[in-house]
Amino acid sequence: DAKTTQPPSMDCAEGRAANLPCNHSTISGNEYVYWYRQIHSQGPQYIIHGLKNNETNEMASLIITEDRKSSTLILPHATLRDTAVYYCIVETSYDKVIFGPGTSLSVIP
Amino acid sequence: EPEVTQTPSHQVTQMGQEVILRCVPISNHLYFYWYRQILGQKVEFLVSFYNNEISEKSEIFDDQFSVERPDGSNFTLKIRSTKLEDSAMYFCASRVRGESYEQYFGPGTRLTVT
């Protein structure tokens, strides 16, 4: 099952950076860290993934610690549309995504 | 931007009836998946499909479920005899072949069994 720990909920002010933490202390050397989100009643949405290096795309940045035991997803300028449940997932299998409870992010006006 | 599509968006059926949920994955993707989400619960993996056969299935995916890729574009999930507890959102996903494992999900079909 999911090998990650995330806070159950977080708030963020609109326009500010949202920093979502994830612990994955048992991660092995070839396992990637993936982030997905699910906006209410919609299908999960892939955000970003990384192995060792920090990654950035048009949606977010992913900061992975040097020991790879934790990571942070950063939404640089959160908007109300970023209100969602965010899932940090560690996987090596191409066969399935195992969703944990995730972090419910509320972006507040 | 290419996306996964699913039809219908909402399906209501009576207990014991057969239902087929349809998905059109992204065109160059080779791996296909079904997930479900019971209201208020987490998204659960059902089955993965590659090269015209099931790669992996969960305990949920029993003999009442089947999947098929009848042509080059559609991917279907069939439930032979629906039960009340099959009521859920069903999400289709697909993935391109390669080293990256990210999956792209459709908007879902809400199945209501009465």
Side-chain angles (χ1 to χ4, degrees):
Chain A
D1 285 16
K3 298 175 278 188
T4 62
T5 304
Q6 298 177 253
S9 63
M10 293 181 62
D11 292 339
C12 177
E14 187 178 18
R16 304 297 294 268
N19 297 282
L20 293 95
C22 179
N23 286 321
H24 32 80
S25 58
T26 60
I27 193 170
S28 61
N30 60 345
E31 289 183 316
Y32 284 79
V33 180
Y34 284 78
W35 284 83
Y36 288 80
R37 74 180 182 182
Q38 186 177 25
I39 297 170
H40 181 64
S41 296
Q42 297 182 21
Q45 179 186 23
Y46 163 77
I47 300 173
I48 198 168
H49 73 280
L51 183 63
K52 295 180 184 178
N53 300 320
N54 298 338
E55 303 287 345
T56 295
N57 63 19
E58 65 278 4
M59 289 183 66
S61 295
L62 174 61
I63 308 298
I64 303 174
T65 58
E66 193 169 343
D67 63 8
R68 302 209 326 120
K69 293 184 177 182
S70 65
S71 60
T72 301
L73 179 75
I74 301 172
L75 308 177
H77 306 285
T79 71
L80 299 179
R81 288 175 293 182
D82 292 321
T83 292
V85 179
Y86 288 77
Y87 301 97
C88 170
I89 295 159
V90 170
E91 66 175 333
T92 52
S93 167
Y94 57 77
D95 269 348
K96 56 182 179 281
V97 177
I98 302 296
F99 291 91
T103 295
S104 179
L105 175 69
S106 297
V107 180
I108 302 167
Chain B
E1 184 175 326
E3 56 185 23
V4 177
T5 59
Q6 292 186 241
T7 54
S9 58
H10 190 188
Q11 174 90 46
V12 181
T13 189
Q14 289 190 329
M15 193 168 51
Q17 296 296 304
E18 175 183 285
V19 293
I20 297 176
L21 309 183
R22 291 182 168 79
C23 168
V24 179
I26 295 173
S27 62
N28 64 333
H29 286 192
L30 299 177
Y31 296 85
F32 313 110
Y33 309 84
W34 284 102
Y35 294 79
R36 79 171 186 190
Q37 186 174 33
I38 295 171
L39 187 64
Q41 299 185 20
K42 63 182 181 179
V43 177
E44 300 174 288
F45 167 77
L46 291 178
V47 66
S48 59
F49 190 86
Y50 170 70
N51 199 26
N52 282 320
E53 60 183 26
I54 291 174
S55 304
E56 186 171 349
K57 58 184 180 180
S58 71
E59 292 179 352
I60 303 167
F61 194 89
D62 61 21
D63 292 343
Q64 292 300 310
F65 291 87
S66 62
V67 290
E68 191 178 31
R69 187 155 163 83
D71 52 43
S73 60
N74 292 284
F75 181 51
T76 62
L77 175 70
K78 181 192 290 186
I79 309 175
R80 290 190 182 82
S81 179
T82 51
K83 303 187 277 278
L84 294 176
E85 52 265 38
D86 293 327
S87 295
M89 283 288 287
Y90 288 82
F91 297 108
C92 173
S94 67
R95 180 176 81 81
V96 69
R97 183 175 184 176
E99 292 185 356
S100 292
Y101 297 151
E102 67 266 25
Q103 297 182 18
Y104 294 86
F105 287 76
T109 293
R110 178 169 298 283
L111 177 65
T112 302
V113 182
T114 61

